[in-house]
Structures are given as structure tokens and as C-alpha cells.
Amino acid sequence: MSSGQVIQGMKQNLQVFKFGGASLQDPDGIRNVGEILSTYKDQPILVVVSAMGKTTNKLEAIVAAHAAQNGKALALFEDFKREHIEACLALFDAEDEVFVSLNDALVEIDWALEEEPHEDYDYAYDQVVPVGEMVSSIILHAYLNKIGLPSQWLDARDIILTDNRYREAWVQWEETQENATRMAAPMLEKGGFVITQGFIGSTTENFSTTLGREGSDYTAAIFSFCLDAESMTIWKDVPGVLTGDPRLFENVTKLDLLSYKEAIEMTYYGAKVIHPKTIKPLQNKSIPLQVKSFLDPTGTGTYISDEVSDNYPPLVAVEKKQALLHISTRDFSFVAEHHMSHLFKMIAEYRLQVNMMQNTAICFSICVNDIDDKVEQFSAAINDQFKVMIDRGLELITVRHYQEKILDELRADKLVLLEERIRETVQLVLKDVPGMKRKAEA
Ligand code: ADP
Ligand code: ASP
Ligand code: MG
């Protein structure tokens, strides 16, 4: 049987599950994932996992400390090791071979820390940070086998080929498809669970890459696409997709059904519940996406598919850590087409992520994610021709299917620096005003 036929045959019931950091944050979390999976025993399921809890932040701190040579990297690494070993001691006997696999994965960080810091920070980052996903997948794989749920372990870097845009790598789809058909499909054909890592890939030279923070949802979609999954499920700490982030808003409600189009818009504008790149590959093959709660696995969750509903309540997405750049020419000329062309080239070169823009006669304004020192670097690079004024610490709020009452509530006690309405979407760039408080309604 050719591998193409294998995939066709399996399409009936192959599912892809993704468990994020919140679901795997401690030994009890891992036990809970084991319990959820036990209800799917003997079904072909590819399980994509993120690093445990906030591990990726901790690995980022190790990379930064090593680059800065501030003497803190080793102590941070010791903490990281201790936490994972303690989690394993709670789940396994001290002689279990999981400890050998764990050490083999951790040694990659030892090697990186022994070397001088690499001049390319993003490259160095991608050689260390994937260890978080490696160790969580090793632990879950060993745990499932221990509790009688046979599972195989797959290194996602053998499947997901990317370019060498470190920290934001782009998938090379043809090669990835070929690898998935040749290596992942036969593993699933054997039955049982296949455990792999989210967020990571590899270049043709076998260097590790990452797909961008929170990228494990996207990994699950890449596998779903390449393996023609029947459905994909992401297991979260919320009952499904809600009308807003419950950490920021009260009175949010669950959406039972959502169209791919609406999900793409919501996540593009910053609804953090799903990584924005996740939906498109699923939509292309009409693979439904379910968002379910690992705290209430039998709950109905949210079902995202081709189903079109034109009757959504207002949906709110918030992007924090925004910077607004007001760019004007130094020779007082209008911001004309040739300026724009140069500015867009520089925006791409400095990898600014633009969330909103507006042009007036003498000023071009962009609202961007304020990450690391990208904004300073970009401003310095265009300084010879352009004057740049920067407003930081802002919030970008997007409301789909807005109602004026909600906009008023969101604007309360804030200064609106930029506002735009396009059809059913409103975007507001807001600044906190210390001491300013709206009067209570008369
Ligand atoms: P993971 O464990 O997979 O990394 P995330 O923490 O990235 O999960 O995503 C889940 C979180 O997304 C929720 O805890 C919630 O605070 C946040 N969130 C933001 N917007 C929404 C929304 N519209 N609906 C549900 N959750 C949301
Ligand atoms: N562990 C990675 C992160 O925290 C990827 C993910 O969780 O999706 O960004
Ligand atoms: Mg996450």
C-alpha cells in the first residue's frame, strides 16, 4: 500500500490533539491529560504538546543571560532542570529510564552554555528553547506508556522543515508534507498515540527553529493538514472560544459555533486563545477545529468549521504592549509613495508587526507590537530621512460586530490615540491617563 493510500484510509478517524502549557503545568496536569487520552484508547491520534507551564519564558531567560554573560545562566538552568526532575519524581520511580531520556535532552543546553554566546541571537535562541517541548513530550510519552496507553514518540523536527528565519521560521510545505506522509503516517497506521512537539522545526542543515511564540496550535494545524486529519482539537483552560479574554473582561460568553472566517479575524486581531496561523491550513481542507476545556473534557466547547453564521455578538480582542509611531519627513514634504515604499521595506527588514496604520498629509502612523528593541532599531535606521515620535505602553482593542455601548465602555478613562472603523470592525489604540476617571452617569 502506498503511503498516499494509507492516509486516505486513515482519514476516517485520524485526529490531532494539542495540549498547551497550561494543561501540562505540573504532575497533576500530566495525570489529567493521561485521563483524557484514556477515553480515546486505540484510536489513531497525533498528540502535539507545548512545554510545561511557563517553561518557554524560563528558557528565554537562560538564553538572554547567556548572551549577556551576566553569570546568571547556569543558576537559571539548574532551576529549570530541578523543576522537570521533580515533576518526573512525582510520576515515575527514581530508576525509570525516563530520566536517561530527560538528561539526553537537557545536555543540549549544557553544550550551548559551554560555548561563547553566538553572534546571531535568534539562532542561539532556537538551539536552546525547543528543549522545553522536547522534555514535556518525553515525559508525557513515558507517562502514557506507564499507565498502559501505548504511545510512540516523534521528533517534530524530522517532519516540519522550515527556512532559517530563526524565531519566526516559515514552513516549507512540500518537504513537510513529504516527511509527514513518509514518517508520521505509518506510525499512526500502527494505532495508538503518537506524541510530538509543538512550536519547533528544523532547517535543511538540521538546525532547530521555532515558529513564533504560542506556535504549538499552528504545529497541530500543520500536521492536521499534512495527514488529512478528520478533526483537530485544542485543549485549553477555558470552556471554548469566548466573546473576550476572561482574564480581562467579565460577562464573557462561549461561542458554540464559529466560522473559519470569523476565527481568522478574531485571532488575527489578537484573541489569544488560538494562534493566528492555525486556522488557514484547516480551512483549506475543511478540517473542523474544536476548542475544548481540559478541565471539563465532556463539555461542548467551540466548533469551528465552514458553517457560516452572520449573527455574532460583539467580540473583543486586546493586544497589549503596543507602540504607536508617528513618522514624518524631515524636509516637511508630504509622505508620498516613494517614502511609503522605503518605509515598508524597512518595516519588513526590522520585522515589525504592524497592527494598524493611518496616513495623513504629513504623518504616517503605525501601531506595532513593542517587542525587544525593534522599535528603537527601526527608528534609528530611518532617522536620517524621517522624524519619529513614539508613544509606548498602549493597548490595541479590536471589536468585531460592535455596538456603541461596548465602545463607550472600552474607551472609559482612556485616551483614544487612533480609531478606525471598517465595516463591522472597530479598532482603538488606547492610552491610560493617570488620574483621569470618567464621571459617573447622571
Ligand atoms: P495554551 O495552554 O494552549 O498555551 P493559551 O494560554 O495560549 O493556552 O490560551 C488560553 C487563554 O487564552 C485563556 O486562558 C484565555 O485567558 C485567553 N483568551 C484570550 N482571548 C480569549 C477568547 N476570546 N476566548 C477564550 N480565551 C481567550
Ligand atoms: N511553548 C511555546 C510558547 O510558550 C509554544 C506554545 O506554547 O505554543 O510560546
Ligand atoms: Mg500558550
Side-chain angles (χ1 to χ4, degrees):
M1 193 189 271
S2 78
S3 41
Q5 284 167 319
V6 170
I7 289 184
Q8 282 304 318
M10 224 156 42
K11 189 172 178 183
Q12 297 313 312
N13 53 5
L14 168 68
Q15 295 189 67
V16 174
F17 283 2
K18 180 257 170 167
F19 288 97
S23 62
L24 297 163
Q25 63 183 336
D26 53 22
D28 276 344
I30 292 168
R31 290 189 189 100
N32 181 50
V33 170
E35 234 166 82
I36 293 175
L37 290 178
S38 67
T39 62
Y40 295 89
K41 198 172 179 202
D42 298 328
Q43 298 181 27
I45 297 184
L46 181 90
V47 180
V48 174
V49 298
S50 300
M52 293 170 67
K54 302 278 178 219
T55 294
T56 305
N57 294 354
K58 293 176 188 164
L59 288 166
E60 282 188 343
I62 295 174
V63 176
H66 183 54
Q69 290 286 284
N70 61 12
K72 293 184 182 157
L74 272 179
L76 290 169
F77 179 42
E78 284 308 317
D79 274 351
F80 172 86
K81 266 204 274 204
R82 186 181 39 76
E83 281 170 11
H84 283 82
I85 290 170
E86 278 175 5
C88 283
L89 285 170
L91 296 167
F92 305 97
D93 300 332
E95 296 77 39
D96 199 291
E97 51 188 78
V98 70
F99 290 97
V100 178
S101 315
L102 195 63
N103 267 325
D104 289 348
L106 293 170
V107 89
E108 288 192 33
I109 302 185
D110 272 318
W111 290 335
L113 296 185
E114 273 165 21
E115 286 176 19
E116 290 290 303
H118 197 279
E119 59 185 16
D120 180 346
Y121 188 88
D122 294 345
Y123 164 84
Y125 176 108
D126 275 2
Q127 307 322 302
V128 168
V129 171
V131 173
E133 268 66 17
M134 294 301 281
V135 292
S136 65
S137 64
I138 286 169
I139 296 171
L140 182 65
H141 167 242
Y143 179 71
L144 293 182
N145 287 338
K146 184 188 148 181
I147 62 168
L149 296 176
S151 79
Q152 303 169 74
W153 184 86
L154 171 67
D155 190 333
R157 295 172 300 184
D158 290 336
I159 309 293
I160 298 193
L161 194 90
T162 69
D163 65 6
N164 60 1
R165 217 177 295 228
Y166 294 106
R167 289 178 78 180
E168 279 169 37
W170 286 23
V171 174
Q172 310 288 293
W173 283 94
E174 253 176 56
E175 293 85 346
T176 300
Q177 172 70 72
E178 206 265 310
N179 293 338
T181 308
R182 189 166 44 81
M183 287 185 270
M187 289 174 84
L188 286 151
E189 169 78 347
K190 284 189 198 149
F193 303 109
V194 174
I195 313 298
T196 195
Q197 311 77 37
F199 179 52
I200 67 176
S202 157
T203 64
T204 40
E205 298 87 31
N206 275 331
F207 292 120
S208 298
T209 52
T210 59
L211 307 178
R213 286 301 306 263
E214 303 296 330
S216 297
D217 296 341
Y218 181 40
T219 300
I222 298 166
F223 274 106
S224 299
F225 179 93
C226 293
L227 296 168
D228 276 328
E230 186 184 61
S231 72
M232 170 172 149
T233 305
I234 50 181
W235 297 88
K236 300 271 171 177
D237 60 357
V238 280
V241 178
L242 307 168
T243 49
D245 187 340
R247 284 176 297 196
L248 305 177
F249 299 103
E250 291 167 3
N251 308 328
V252 290
T253 51
K254 178 167 82 71
L255 300 155
D256 297 334
L257 296 173
L258 202 59
S259 67
Y260 292 122
K261 178 178 176 290
E262 192 59 39
I264 288 174
E265 297 284 348
M266 275 183 82
T267 55
Y268 173 78
Y269 288 124
K272 297 281 177 254
V273 62
I274 308 170
H275 188 276
K277 285 185 171 177
T278 308
I279 313 289
K280 202 74 194 66
L282 302 177
Q283 182 185 27
N284 279 19
K285 285 203 174 169
S286 295
I287 300 167
L289 170 62
Q290 304 191 72
V291 182
K292 280 173 159 281
S293 167
F294 61 79
L295 302 166
D296 175 23
T298 55
T300 52
T302 298
Y303 189 84
I304 303 172
S305 68
D306 276 320
E307 176 130 2
V308 181
S309 156
D310 49 7
N311 196 19
Y312 293 105
L315 306 173
V316 184
V318 180
E319 286 272 20
K320 293 190 182 262
K321 285 193 79 177
Q322 299 295 296
L324 192 59
L325 278 63
H326 302 279
I327 304 167
S328 48
T329 59
R330 287 208 176 273
D331 59 5
F332 309 111
S333 61
F334 294 143
V335 183
E337 286 71 14
H338 67 282
H339 293 125
M340 295 288 225
S341 146
H342 177 62
L343 288 170
F344 278 115
K345 183 173 154 283
M346 299 303 274
I347 287 169
E349 195 167 304
Y350 285 85
R351 294 204 206 161
L352 290 189
Q353 288 161 294
V354 179
N355 294 320
M356 204 173 154
M357 54 188 152
Q358 211 169 67
N359 200 25
T360 61
I362 50 159
C363 185
F364 176 57
S365 303
I366 51 174
C367 177
V368 301
N369 295 345
D370 198 355
I371 300 172
D372 302 338
D373 57 355
K374 284 184 183 189
V375 165
E376 282 92 348
Q377 287 197 21
F378 168 78
S379 306
I382 59 169
N383 185 49
D384 55 340
Q385 279 189 64
F386 299 94
K387 198 171 131 207
V388 186
M389 272 168 46
I390 307 173
D391 244 319
R392 309 188 98 137
L394 310 178
E395 223 176 46
L396 170 67
I397 301 196
T398 305
V399 188
R400 306 254 311 145
H401 317 287
Y402 62 91
Q403 293 163 1
E404 289 302 331
K405 184 168 165 283
I406 291 214
L407 298 181
D408 288 342
E409 281 166 18
L410 292 168
R411 287 192 203 100
D413 308 332
K414 309 262 182 183
L415 199 62
V416 180
L417 300 186
L418 209 61
E419 175 165 344
E420 187 175 81
R421 293 181 191 222
I422 301 177
R423 302 179 66 185
E424 71 270 68
T425 306
V426 173
Q427 291 198 286
L428 306 167
V429 179
L430 299 175
K431 183 178 187 151
D432 277 330
V433 185
M436 180 167 137
K437 188 100 187 101
R438 266 165 73 97
K439 282 186 188 164
E441 273 177 34

